[in-house]
Amino acid sequence: MKKVEDIVRLGPVIPVLAFDTVEQGEHVSRALHAGGVKVLEITLRTPAGIGAIERAAHLSPDIVVGVGTITKPEHCAQAKKAGAQFGVSPGLTRDIHQAAQDAGLPLLPGVMTPSDILLALELGYETVKFFPAQQAGGMPMLQALYGPFPTLKFCPTGGITTETAPSFLALPNVVCVGGSWLTPKAALAAQNWDEVTRLARAASELAAHQH
């Protein structure tokens, strides 16, 4: 079982994915992997989520599939059963923490405020998701949080673009970023998987910007 600390270092960008169908999920997962993206966050925002996780988990031995948008404790066991290797939540509660532990699902919990961070630290987390990053203060907020929480590592997600990703990755407390720009709606609608691979390749090359 991989630890979250290891998973977030597998690539500078974790694509945040929501699929209309399981088939679309398989095509997109293949296209992202072809572009060098090893970690996928497939969200439970659509009914196709669990099926897409099952398919993606079997595509390649070096692919690490996570389940996103965990908002209820029972999501943890469902995701683990489908083959997810880690979970991502928009926030953190003790019940979700316990359910992830019980399911053996490494969790990347969402935080937005210093109080959220204190709870995460209390529960033993070293790496958290900062969400929604842009709306919650973006880079200035992460710089401010570095003062009281210098050891905590963040994966900012929400409103990050290919243009702003390098600046986020240059921050000392950012290990990776989450983003949905790798799967533009127009490209998915047109089934333009080559465009997804191109964006994935560009995202993989952002590793050069990491401190």
Side-chain angles (χ1 to χ4, degrees):
M1 190 172 86
K2 285 185 165 67
K3 286 172 63 183
V4 162
E5 279 67 37
D6 301 326
I7 293 168
V8 292
R9 287 190 162 80
L10 290 174
V13 180
I14 297 179
V16 180
L17 308 164
F19 297 127
D20 298 329
T21 64
V22 173
E23 289 68 35
Q24 183 191 57
E26 183 170 350
H27 283 296
V28 171
S29 299
R30 277 188 198 283
L32 288 166
H33 184 255
V37 170
K38 301 282 193 288
V39 184
L40 310 177
E41 180 192 330
I42 298 176
T43 68
L44 298 177
R45 292 175 196 185
T46 64
I50 289 288
I53 289 165
E54 286 173 346
R55 293 263 182 106
H58 295 105
L59 284 181
S60 169
D62 68 344
I63 216 164
V64 180
V65 182
V67 60
T69 321
I70 290 178
T71 54
K72 296 179 180 156
E74 57 269 26
H75 288 158
C76 296
Q78 288 167 2
K80 179 77 175 177
K81 192 167 163 229
Q85 288 177 266
F86 70 104
V88 185
S89 61
L92 178 61
T93 66
R94 289 179 186 278
D95 286 349
I96 286 175
H97 165 74
Q98 194 54 53
Q101 296 266 311
D102 293 346
L105 189 73
L107 186 67
L108 180 68
V111 302
M112 195 176 102
T113 68
S115 294
D116 296 342
I117 290 171
L118 288 173
L119 174 62
L121 290 170
E122 195 179 303
L123 293 173
Y125 292 95
E126 297 165 24
T127 307
V128 293
K129 163 176 157 169
F130 179 54
F131 176 83
Q134 207 55 53
Q135 296 84 342
M139 284 181 290
M141 183 68 164
L142 284 163
Q143 286 165 324
L145 291 171
Y146 185 63
F149 308 111
T151 60
L152 195 62
K153 299 296 182 206
F154 291 92
C155 171
T157 304
I160 294 174
T161 64
T162 184
E163 290 80 24
T164 59
S167 305
F168 274 97
L169 289 166
L171 295 175
N173 52 350
V174 169
V175 280
C176 65
V177 297
S180 50
W181 79 85
L182 281 72
T183 51
K185 285 190 170 61
L188 267 50
Q191 301 193 353
N192 184 352
W193 315 127
D194 289 344
E195 174 65 2
V196 174
T197 296
R198 186 187 72 75
L199 290 165
R201 196 164 286 125
S204 301
E205 285 162 8
L206 290 173
H209 294 277
Q210 284 174 293
H211 45 85

